[in-house]
């Protein structure tokens, strides 16, 4: 029993601890969510729930999603019909037949509409009284065309669960246009509004059957999902608008009335803040206007200063232009006077040039005579120079012979001199050795003599010092003997007294 109680206690403590840990984790998660909400102020406007809880809301969103899917398929029908050979394997034989039938109905519908519009124009031009009726019919036809082009089926229709229902609907659909084939093929009869209405209803039925067959063939739907670029621009925009509408509707369905109230209160607070910020903005704008006014005043003052300076510059430029004119006129006058002076100088220089030419001619005559005399003198000097050169050459030849003889004598004497110099060098070496030996002997004799003289002098000094020492010693002895005698004499006298 004790063991069972211990086990129960352990289990209860474990469960309590686990529940406590769960509560702690939940509290931490809530705190994190609060921190996130405070970090992003727009998170308050987002709904708290992320999924729809009510069945009605889920049905509404399902209806919107279904309508978007059907709109995507219907907007791709023209491209699919153009490329049936490409998609024949994916779509299947049933869908291909229905699409071909839809294409045939659409072409007949377009021809009927074109004929109807032509008849309406003709009737308007022929009978102006029937304009009201034709306008009414044309408006009805345009409404039928718009309904057919939109091709959005009703949401309340249920999808088939088997291929038998789709095949039966296809059979019933194929039986209807066969009844109206004579009306479509007849070119002579005029197109009536009833035919257009019948064709529009056939278009609606054909679109419904196509959508039912696509619903029973999800592989074909998956194959056509990535063909967004093949749609028309209007179809893509309509699909985008539907998706945005679906997002708005989903958000509105997620929000509860209490959340709506909180959102309104939050928006009121934001509006109040916006009012405050707008007031501060107005104040700042007023300050900005004042600053701009001050700046404009300052700019106007500076513009006045600039105007004054421009006027001053204009006056300066005027004065400069007047001065330039004066300078130009003075320069022109000076130029004219200088031209006159230059003309007079030119005439004088021309006369001088004529006189100089005459002088040049006379000088050339005189210079020619002097040139002839100088040339004669030059020839004479050249002949004398040649004679002197010849004489110089002969003298130099004799001198060269003398020089060669003297050179031979000189070389012989130089050889003898070299021999004598070599002998003299040997004798000089011997002489130097003898002189060096004599010098060394002389130095030794002088050193011995100096040493002997030093010794003699030292002996004399020693003898003189010794004699002086002996003389002093004898004098000291004599002095001591005299003192002893005097002491004896003085002692005897005292005793007598």
């Amino acid at each position: 029993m004790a063991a069972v109680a211990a086990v129960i206690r352990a289990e209860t403590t474990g469960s309590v601890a686990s529940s406590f840990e769960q509560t702690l984790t939940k509290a931490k998660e809530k705190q994190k969510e609060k921190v996130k909400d405070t970090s992003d102020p727009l998170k308050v406007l987002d709904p708290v729930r992320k999924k729809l809880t009510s069945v009605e809301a889920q049905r509404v969103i399902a209806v919107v999603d279904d309508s978007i899917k059907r709109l995507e398929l219907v907007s791709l029908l023209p491209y699919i019909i153009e490329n049936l050979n490409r998609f024949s394997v994916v779509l299947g034989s049933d869908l291909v037949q229905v699409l071909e039938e839809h294409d045939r109905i659409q072409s007949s519908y377009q021809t009927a509409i074109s004929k109807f519009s032509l008849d309406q124009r003709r009737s308007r031009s022929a009978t102006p009284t029937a304009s009201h009726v034709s306008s009414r019919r044309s408006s009805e036809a345009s409404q039928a065309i718009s309904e057919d082009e939109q091709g959005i089926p009703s949401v309340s229709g249920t999808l088939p669960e088997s291929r038998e229902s789709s095949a039966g609907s296809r059979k019933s659909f194929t039986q209807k246009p066969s009844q109206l084939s004579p009306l479509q093929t007849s070119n002579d009869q005029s197109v009536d509004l009833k035919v257009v209405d019948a064709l529009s209803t056939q278009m609606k039925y054909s679109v419904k059957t196509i959508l039912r067959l696509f619903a029973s063939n999800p592989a074909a739907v998956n194959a056509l999902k990535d063909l967004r670029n093949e749609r028309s621009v209007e179809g893509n925009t309509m699909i985008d608008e539907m998706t945005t509408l679906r997002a708005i509707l989903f958000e509105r369905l997620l929000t509860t009335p209490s959340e709506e109230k909180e959102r309104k209160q939050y928006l009121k607070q934001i509006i109040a803040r916006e009012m405050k910020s707008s007031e501060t903005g107005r104040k700042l704008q007023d300050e900005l206007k004042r600053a701009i006014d001050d700046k404009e005043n300052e700019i106007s003052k500076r513009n006045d200063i600039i105007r004054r300076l421009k006027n001053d510059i204009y006056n300066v430029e005027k004065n400069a232009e007047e001065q330039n004119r004066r300078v130009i006129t003075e320069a022109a006058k000076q130029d004219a006077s200088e031209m006159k002076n230059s003309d007079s100088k030119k005439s004088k220089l021309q006369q001088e040039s004529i006189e100089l030419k005459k002088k040049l001619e006379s000088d050339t005559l005189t210079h020619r005579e002097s040139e002839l005399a100088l040339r004669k003198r030059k020839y004479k000097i050249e002949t004398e120079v040649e004679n002197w050169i010849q004489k110089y050459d002969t003298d130099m030849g004799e001198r060269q012979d003398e020089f060669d003889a003297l050179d031979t004598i000189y070389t012989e004497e130089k050889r003898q001199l070299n021999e004598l110099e070599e002998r003299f060098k040997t004798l000089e070496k011997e002489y130097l050795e003898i002189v060096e030996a004599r010098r060394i002997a002389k130095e030794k004799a002088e050193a011995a003599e100096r040493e002997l003289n030093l010794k003699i002098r030292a002996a004399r000094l020693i003898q003189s010092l010794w004699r002086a020492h002996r003389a002093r010693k004898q004098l000291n002895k004599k002095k001591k003997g005299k003192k002893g005698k005097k002491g004896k004499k003085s002692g005897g006298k005292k005793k007598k007294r």
Side-chain angles (χ1 to χ4, degrees):
M1 292 294 288
V4 172
V7 170
I8 291 165
R9 285 175 187 172
E11 288 178 355
T12 53
T13 53
S15 62
V16 169
S18 62
S19 63
F20 183 69
E21 287 177 356
Q22 287 177 0
T23 53
L24 281 173
T25 53
K26 286 180 181 178
K28 286 179 181 178
E29 287 177 356
K30 286 181 180 179
Q31 286 179 357
K32 286 180 181 178
E33 288 177 356
K34 286 180 181 179
V35 169
K36 287 180 182 178
D37 292 336
T38 54
S39 63
D40 191 1
L42 294 175
K43 276 282 182 85
V44 178
L45 299 175
D46 294 335
V48 177
R49 293 182 298 171
K50 301 297 179 183
K51 293 182 181 180
L52 297 171
T53 55
S54 63
V55 179
E56 291 83 2
Q58 290 176 1
R59 285 177 181 174
V60 170
I61 293 297
V63 167
V64 174
D65 291 334
D66 191 15
S67 62
I68 290 167
K69 288 178 183 178
R70 292 186 178 189
L71 182 59
E72 288 175 353
L73 291 171
V74 170
S75 61
L76 282 172
L77 285 178
Y79 179 73
I80 295 166
I81 290 165
E82 287 178 0
N83 300 306
L84 270 176
N85 294 323
R86 177 184 168 188
F87 298 105
S88 61
V89 178
V90 178
L91 297 175
S93 60
D94 297 336
L95 262 172
V96 170
Q97 289 177 4
V98 173
L99 288 168
E100 288 175 352
E101 190 68 26
H102 179 74
D103 187 17
R104 188 179 63 77
I105 293 165
Q106 191 174 3
S107 61
S108 62
Y109 178 73
Q110 287 176 357
T111 54
I113 288 294
S114 62
K115 287 179 181 179
F116 181 73
S117 62
L118 285 170
D119 291 336
Q120 288 292 321
R121 287 173 187 172
R122 287 172 186 172
S123 63
R124 280 177 188 173
S125 61
T127 57
T129 55
S131 62
H132 182 68
V133 177
S134 63
S135 63
R136 188 180 65 186
R137 288 184 179 180
S138 63
S139 63
E140 289 175 357
S142 62
Q143 286 178 2
I145 290 162
S146 62
E147 288 176 358
D148 183 39
E149 286 176 351
Q150 286 176 1
I152 300 169
S154 61
V155 178
S156 61
T158 58
L159 295 172
E161 294 180 356
S162 64
R163 285 201 174 184
E164 292 177 357
S165 61
S166 64
S169 63
R170 190 172 68 251
K171 286 177 183 178
S172 64
F173 168 69
T174 53
Q175 287 173 1
K176 288 178 183 177
S178 64
Q179 295 173 1
L180 296 168
S181 59
L183 292 171
Q184 293 172 359
T185 55
S186 63
N187 295 321
D188 297 327
Q189 294 178 359
S190 62
V191 179
D192 197 10
L193 185 61
K194 292 180 181 180
V195 177
V196 175
D197 292 335
L199 289 170
S200 65
T201 53
Q202 286 181 10
M203 290 277 287
K204 290 177 184 178
Y205 289 140
S206 67
V207 169
K208 286 180 182 180
T209 53
I210 288 164
L211 291 172
R212 288 192 191 98
L213 290 171
F214 269 115
S216 63
N217 191 0
V221 176
N222 291 324
L224 297 173
K225 274 184 180 179
D226 298 329
L227 298 174
R228 179 180 173 82
N229 294 324
E230 305 300 333
R231 292 192 191 94
S232 62
V233 179
E234 293 82 4
N236 285 324
T237 53
M238 191 171 181
I239 290 163
D240 294 334
E241 293 294 331
M242 287 290 289
T243 51
T244 53
L245 180 64
R246 190 256 184 202
I248 293 163
L249 184 62
F250 185 74
E251 188 178 355
R252 291 297 298 272
L253 290 170
L254 285 173
T255 54
T256 58
S258 60
E259 289 176 357
E260 191 69 27
K261 287 180 182 178
E262 290 177 358
R263 188 182 291 179
K264 285 179 181 179
Q265 289 177 359
Y266 183 70
L267 289 171
K268 284 180 182 178
Q269 291 175 1
I270 290 169
I271 290 163
R273 290 177 189 172
E274 185 66 26
M275 293 288 286
K276 288 181 182 179
S277 62
S278 62
E279 287 178 0
T280 54
R282 283 194 210 94
K283 290 178 182 178
L284 291 171
Q285 283 180 356
D286 294 333
E287 291 178 359
L288 181 64
K289 284 180 181 178
R290 290 171 191 166
I292 289 165
D293 293 333
D294 295 334
K295 190 176 180 181
E296 286 177 353
N297 292 324
E298 190 175 355
I299 288 164
S300 63
K301 290 178 182 178
R302 290 187 179 179
N303 287 327
D304 294 333
I305 293 164
I306 289 162
R307 264 190 235 99
R308 290 173 190 170
L309 292 171
K310 282 182 178 179
N311 291 323
D312 294 336
I313 290 163
Y314 179 71
N315 294 323
V316 169
E317 286 177 352
K318 263 192 171 181
N319 294 324
E321 286 178 358
E322 289 177 357
Q323 286 179 359
N324 286 328
R325 284 197 207 94
R326 289 174 188 172
V327 169
I328 289 163
T329 52
E330 288 175 358
K333 289 177 182 178
Q334 191 174 359
D335 191 10
S337 63
E338 286 179 355
M339 284 292 288
K340 288 179 182 178
N341 294 325
S342 67
D343 291 333
S344 60
K345 286 180 181 179
K346 188 177 180 182
S347 61
K348 288 178 182 179
L349 291 169
Q350 284 177 355
Q351 289 177 0
E352 288 178 358
S353 66
I354 291 163
E355 291 175 357
L356 289 169
K357 282 179 182 179
K358 290 178 181 179
K359 189 178 180 181
L360 179 64
E361 289 175 356
S362 63
D363 289 336
T364 50
L365 291 171
T366 55
H367 289 159
R368 278 175 187 172
E369 292 174 356
S370 62
E371 186 179 358
L372 288 170
L374 290 169
R375 281 182 180 177
K376 288 177 182 179
R377 188 179 175 187
K378 181 183 177 184
Y379 179 72
K380 188 178 180 181
I381 290 165
E382 284 177 354
T383 53
E384 288 178 357
V385 168
E386 285 178 358
N387 293 325
W388 280 107
I389 288 166
Q390 288 176 0
K391 190 177 180 181
Y392 173 76
D393 290 335
T394 55
D395 290 337
M396 287 301 291
E398 292 173 357
R399 297 284 174 87
Q400 185 68 34
D401 295 334
E402 290 177 0
F403 177 76
D404 291 335
L406 291 170
D407 191 17
T408 53
I409 295 163
Y410 172 74
T411 52
E412 183 65 26
E413 288 179 353
K414 191 174 182 181
R415 184 178 62 75
Q416 292 175 2
L417 179 65
N418 289 327
E419 290 176 356
L420 292 170
E421 282 179 353
E422 287 176 357
R423 289 178 186 176
F424 178 74
K425 283 179 182 178
T426 55
L427 292 171
E428 189 178 5
K429 284 181 182 179
E430 292 175 357
Y431 174 74
L432 290 171
E433 287 176 358
I434 292 163
V435 169
E436 185 69 23
R438 286 178 182 177
R439 186 181 64 77
I440 291 165
K442 189 178 179 181
E443 286 178 355
K444 285 180 179 179
E446 288 176 355
E449 190 177 357
R450 281 198 299 274
E451 189 177 358
L452 182 63
N453 291 325
L454 285 169
K455 286 179 180 180
I456 291 165
R457 190 178 176 186
R460 286 176 182 174
L461 282 169
I462 291 164
Q463 287 176 2
S464 63
L465 288 169
W466 177 251
R467 287 172 186 168
H469 177 68
R470 284 181 69 185
R472 283 193 209 98
K473 199 172 180 181
Q474 287 176 3
L475 287 170
N476 288 326
K477 283 180 180 180
K478 287 179 180 180
K479 285 179 181 180
K480 285 179 180 179
K482 287 179 180 181
K483 285 180 180 179
K485 288 178 179 180
K486 285 180 180 180
K488 286 179 180 180
K489 286 179 180 182
S490 62
K493 287 178 180 180
K494 286 178 181 179
K495 286 178 180 180
K496 286 178 179 181
R497 286 177 183 176

Short mmCIF file of all heavy atoms in Angstrom, two decimals, residues 84 90-101 170 209-217 220:
data_model
loop_
_atom_site.label_atom_id
_atom_site.label_comp_id
_atom_site.label_asym_id
_atom_site.label_seq_id
_atom_site.Cartn_x
_atom_site.Cartn_y
_atom_site.Cartn_z
N LEU A 84 -5.90 23.78 -79.51
CA LEU A 84 -6.54 22.52 -79.13
C LEU A 84 -5.64 21.32 -79.40
O LEU A 84 -5.65 20.34 -78.64
CB LEU A 84 -7.86 22.36 -79.89
CG LEU A 84 -9.12 22.93 -79.22
CD1 LEU A 84 -10.30 22.79 -80.13
CD2 LEU A 84 -9.38 22.24 -77.89
N VAL A 90 -4.19 16.33 -72.74
CA VAL A 90 -4.48 16.66 -71.34
C VAL A 90 -5.98 16.82 -71.12
O VAL A 90 -6.52 16.37 -70.09
CB VAL A 90 -3.72 17.94 -70.95
CG1 VAL A 90 -4.03 18.32 -69.51
CG2 VAL A 90 -2.23 17.75 -71.12
N LEU A 91 -6.67 17.44 -72.07
CA LEU A 91 -8.09 17.75 -71.87
C LEU A 91 -8.97 16.52 -72.05
O LEU A 91 -9.99 16.37 -71.36
CB LEU A 91 -8.51 18.84 -72.85
CG LEU A 91 -7.83 20.20 -72.69
CD1 LEU A 91 -8.25 21.13 -73.80
CD2 LEU A 91 -8.15 20.82 -71.34
N GLY A 92 -8.64 15.66 -72.97
CA GLY A 92 -9.50 14.52 -73.23
C GLY A 92 -10.46 14.78 -74.39
O GLY A 92 -10.68 15.92 -74.81
N SER A 93 -11.03 13.71 -74.89
CA SER A 93 -11.89 13.82 -76.08
C SER A 93 -13.17 14.58 -75.79
O SER A 93 -13.66 15.37 -76.61
CB SER A 93 -12.22 12.42 -76.61
OG SER A 93 -12.90 11.67 -75.60
N ASP A 94 -13.77 14.36 -74.59
CA ASP A 94 -15.02 15.04 -74.24
C ASP A 94 -14.85 16.55 -74.22
O ASP A 94 -15.63 17.30 -74.84
CB ASP A 94 -15.52 14.56 -72.88
CG ASP A 94 -15.84 13.06 -72.89
OD1 ASP A 94 -16.11 12.55 -73.99
OD2 ASP A 94 -15.79 12.44 -71.81
N LEU A 95 -13.81 17.00 -73.54
CA LEU A 95 -13.57 18.45 -73.45
C LEU A 95 -13.23 19.03 -74.81
O LEU A 95 -13.64 20.15 -75.15
CB LEU A 95 -12.42 18.73 -72.48
CG LEU A 95 -12.81 19.13 -71.06
CD1 LEU A 95 -11.59 19.20 -70.17
CD2 LEU A 95 -13.51 20.47 -71.05
N VAL A 96 -12.49 18.30 -75.62
CA VAL A 96 -12.13 18.80 -76.95
C VAL A 96 -13.38 18.99 -77.80
O VAL A 96 -13.54 20.02 -78.49
CB VAL A 96 -11.13 17.84 -77.62
CG1 VAL A 96 -10.94 18.20 -79.08
CG2 VAL A 96 -9.79 17.87 -76.89
N GLN A 97 -14.31 18.00 -77.76
CA GLN A 97 -15.55 18.13 -78.53
C GLN A 97 -16.38 19.32 -78.06
O GLN A 97 -16.90 20.10 -78.87
CB GLN A 97 -16.37 16.84 -78.41
CG GLN A 97 -15.75 15.66 -79.16
CD GLN A 97 -16.54 14.38 -78.95
OE1 GLN A 97 -17.60 14.40 -78.30
NE2 GLN A 97 -16.05 13.28 -79.52
N VAL A 98 -16.48 19.46 -76.74
CA VAL A 98 -17.28 20.57 -76.20
C VAL A 98 -16.65 21.91 -76.57
O VAL A 98 -17.35 22.88 -76.90
CB VAL A 98 -17.43 20.41 -74.68
CG1 VAL A 98 -18.11 21.63 -74.08
CG2 VAL A 98 -18.23 19.18 -74.35
N LEU A 99 -15.32 21.99 -76.52
CA LEU A 99 -14.65 23.24 -76.87
C LEU A 99 -14.81 23.57 -78.35
O LEU A 99 -14.98 24.74 -78.72
CB LEU A 99 -13.16 23.16 -76.50
CG LEU A 99 -12.84 23.21 -75.00
CD1 LEU A 99 -11.40 22.83 -74.76
CD2 LEU A 99 -13.12 24.59 -74.43
N GLU A 100 -14.76 22.55 -79.20
CA GLU A 100 -14.99 22.79 -80.63
C GLU A 100 -16.41 23.30 -80.87
O GLU A 100 -16.64 24.23 -81.66
CB GLU A 100 -14.74 21.51 -81.41
CG GLU A 100 -13.26 21.14 -81.50
CD GLU A 100 -13.05 19.80 -82.18
OE1 GLU A 100 -14.07 19.11 -82.43
OE2 GLU A 100 -11.88 19.43 -82.43
N GLU A 101 -17.37 22.67 -80.16
CA GLU A 101 -18.76 23.12 -80.29
C GLU A 101 -18.92 24.55 -79.78
O GLU A 101 -19.63 25.38 -80.39
CB GLU A 101 -19.67 22.17 -79.49
CG GLU A 101 -21.16 22.39 -79.72
CD GLU A 101 -21.57 22.00 -81.13
OE1 GLU A 101 -20.89 21.15 -81.75
OE2 GLU A 101 -22.55 22.57 -81.62
N ARG A 170 -24.14 17.30 -72.11
CA ARG A 170 -23.54 17.59 -73.40
C ARG A 170 -24.45 17.17 -74.54
O ARG A 170 -24.57 17.85 -75.55
CB ARG A 170 -22.19 16.86 -73.50
CG ARG A 170 -21.39 17.28 -74.72
CD ARG A 170 -20.00 16.71 -74.69
NE ARG A 170 -20.00 15.26 -74.86
CZ ARG A 170 -19.72 14.39 -73.91
NH1 ARG A 170 -19.42 14.80 -72.70
NH2 ARG A 170 -19.73 13.09 -74.14
N THR A 209 -21.20 23.68 -69.23
CA THR A 209 -20.76 22.29 -69.46
C THR A 209 -19.23 22.20 -69.47
O THR A 209 -18.66 21.23 -68.94
CB THR A 209 -21.31 21.80 -70.80
OG1 THR A 209 -20.96 22.73 -71.83
CG2 THR A 209 -22.80 21.63 -70.74
N ILE A 210 -18.56 23.20 -70.05
CA ILE A 210 -17.08 23.19 -70.05
C ILE A 210 -16.55 23.23 -68.62
O ILE A 210 -15.62 22.51 -68.26
CB ILE A 210 -16.54 24.37 -70.88
CG1 ILE A 210 -16.79 24.12 -72.37
CG2 ILE A 210 -15.06 24.60 -70.64
CD1 ILE A 210 -16.66 25.36 -73.23
N LEU A 211 -17.16 24.07 -67.78
CA LEU A 211 -16.70 24.16 -66.39
C LEU A 211 -16.97 22.87 -65.64
O LEU A 211 -16.16 22.45 -64.80
CB LEU A 211 -17.38 25.34 -65.71
CG LEU A 211 -16.95 26.74 -66.20
CD1 LEU A 211 -17.84 27.81 -65.59
CD2 LEU A 211 -15.50 27.00 -65.83
N ARG A 212 -18.11 22.21 -65.92
CA ARG A 212 -18.39 20.92 -65.27
C ARG A 212 -17.34 19.88 -65.67
O ARG A 212 -16.85 19.11 -64.83
CB ARG A 212 -19.79 20.44 -65.65
CG ARG A 212 -20.91 21.23 -65.01
CD ARG A 212 -22.25 20.53 -65.18
NE ARG A 212 -23.35 21.39 -64.80
CZ ARG A 212 -24.09 22.10 -65.64
NH1 ARG A 212 -23.84 22.03 -66.94
NH2 ARG A 212 -25.06 22.86 -65.21
N LEU A 213 -17.02 19.85 -66.96
CA LEU A 213 -16.02 18.88 -67.42
C LEU A 213 -14.64 19.17 -66.83
O LEU A 213 -13.88 18.26 -66.50
CB LEU A 213 -15.96 18.88 -68.94
CG LEU A 213 -17.20 18.30 -69.65
CD1 LEU A 213 -17.11 18.56 -71.14
CD2 LEU A 213 -17.33 16.81 -69.37
N PHE A 214 -14.29 20.45 -66.71
CA PHE A 214 -13.01 20.79 -66.07
C PHE A 214 -13.00 20.39 -64.60
O PHE A 214 -11.97 19.97 -64.06
CB PHE A 214 -12.74 22.30 -66.19
CG PHE A 214 -11.96 22.67 -67.42
CD1 PHE A 214 -12.52 23.46 -68.40
CD2 PHE A 214 -10.66 22.25 -67.59
CE1 PHE A 214 -11.82 23.82 -69.54
CE2 PHE A 214 -9.94 22.60 -68.72
CZ PHE A 214 -10.52 23.38 -69.70
N ALA A 215 -14.17 20.52 -63.94
CA ALA A 215 -14.25 20.12 -62.53
C ALA A 215 -14.04 18.62 -62.38
O ALA A 215 -13.45 18.16 -61.38
CB ALA A 215 -15.60 20.53 -61.95
N SER A 216 -14.50 17.86 -63.35
CA SER A 216 -14.29 16.40 -63.29
C SER A 216 -12.92 15.99 -63.80
O SER A 216 -12.58 14.81 -63.75
CB SER A 216 -15.38 15.70 -64.12
OG SER A 216 -15.28 16.07 -65.48
N ASN A 217 -12.11 16.94 -64.32
CA ASN A 217 -10.77 16.63 -64.85
C ASN A 217 -9.74 17.56 -64.19
O ASN A 217 -9.32 18.57 -64.76
CB ASN A 217 -10.76 16.82 -66.37
CG ASN A 217 -9.50 16.26 -67.00
OD1 ASN A 217 -8.63 15.73 -66.32
ND2 ASN A 217 -9.40 16.37 -68.31
N ALA A 220 -6.34 18.48 -66.07
CA ALA A 220 -6.38 19.56 -67.06
C ALA A 220 -6.30 20.92 -66.39
O ALA A 220 -5.63 21.85 -66.88
CB ALA A 220 -7.66 19.45 -67.88
#
